[in-house]
């Protein structure tokens, strides 16, 4: 897999029916290693190791309903009270981050109401803080660290 713009992390792999699988610590199982999954796995490690979010507050690949349509978010980080702190939208490294990517995560956020958004293709990372009063997002240099 391609080297990403994240610190170096270690992962467990196995060959599953001639496909490489990576062990997902959150789902507690091996999942097929696609380019987007590679980014998602790095992002979870980044949130855990660099930003100190406990794995117990991180959730991946869950369905949500938006305007009657079923969608899947990549990563959500909860606050201890159950509110959502961060939504992360992961793309494969070959996918350019465009306005459409931000629109996608903003649509998810209409129902999830997160404080922060992260959009990444593993090579480029964008971080935003939601400004609900003015109905926009403010770009940041980094995500906040978890405060215990």
């Amino acid at each position: 897999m391609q080297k990403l713009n994240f610190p170096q992390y270690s992962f467990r792999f196995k060959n599953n029916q001639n496909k490489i699988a990576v062990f997902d610590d959150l789902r507690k199982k091996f999942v097929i290693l696609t380019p987007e999954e590679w980014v998602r796995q790095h992002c979870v490690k980044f949130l855990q190791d660099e930003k100190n979010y406990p794995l117990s507050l991180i959730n991946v690949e869950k369905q949500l309903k938006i305007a009657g349509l079923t969608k899947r978010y990549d990563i959500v980080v909860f606050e201890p009270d159950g509110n959502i702190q961060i939504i992360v939208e992961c793309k494969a490294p070959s996918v350019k981050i465009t306005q459409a990517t931000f629109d996608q995560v903003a649509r998810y956020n209409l129902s999830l109401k997160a404080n922060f958004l992260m959009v990444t293709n593993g090579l480029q990372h964008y971080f935003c803080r939601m400004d609900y009063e003015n109905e926009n997002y403010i770009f940041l240099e980094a995500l906040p660290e978890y405060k215990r």
Side-chain angles (χ1 to χ4, degrees), residues 2 22 79 84:
Q2 180 174 354
V22 61
E79 296 175 357
I84 297 176

Side-chain angles (χ1 to χ4, degrees), residues 58-70:
I58 302 173
N59 199 307
V60 295
E61 285 273 288
K62 292 287 190 248
Q63 288 186 351
L64 67 151
K65 291 264 191 213
I66 300 172
L69 299 173
T70 301

Side-chain angles (χ1 to χ4, degrees), residues 48-140:
Q48 182 185 14
D49 295 356
E50 315 310 320
K51 296 299 177 180
N52 300 313
Y53 287 93
L55 270 183
S56 61
L57 296 179
I58 302 173
N59 199 307
V60 295
E61 285 273 288
K62 292 287 190 248
Q63 288 186 351
L64 67 151
K65 291 264 191 213
I66 300 172
L69 299 173
T70 301
K71 302 289 184 182
R72 286 183 98 74
Y73 62 70
D74 286 308
I75 303 171
V76 165
V77 180
F78 291 93
E79 296 175 357
D81 66 6
N83 288 322
I84 297 176
Q85 177 73 347
I86 305 166
I87 300 173
V88 183
E89 179 60 29
C90 300
K91 298 294 185 190
S94 62
V95 175
K96 284 194 181 314
I97 303 295
T98 64
Q99 184 62 47
T101 312
F102 284 99
D103 293 346
Q104 178 183 3
V105 74
R107 276 192 305 277
Y108 292 175
N109 201 37
L110 288 173
S111 63
L112 297 174
K113 303 279 192 252
N115 296 317
F116 297 92
L117 307 177
M118 177 179 176
V119 175
T120 181
N121 63 4
L123 304 174
Q124 296 176 295
H125 316 299
Y126 297 94
F127 313 104
C128 307
R129 180 178 57 80
M130 294 305 302
D131 178 356
Y132 288 104
E133 192 172 307
N134 296 306
E135 297 182 346
N136 66 6
Y137 40 83
I138 298 152
F139 283 93
L140 304 172

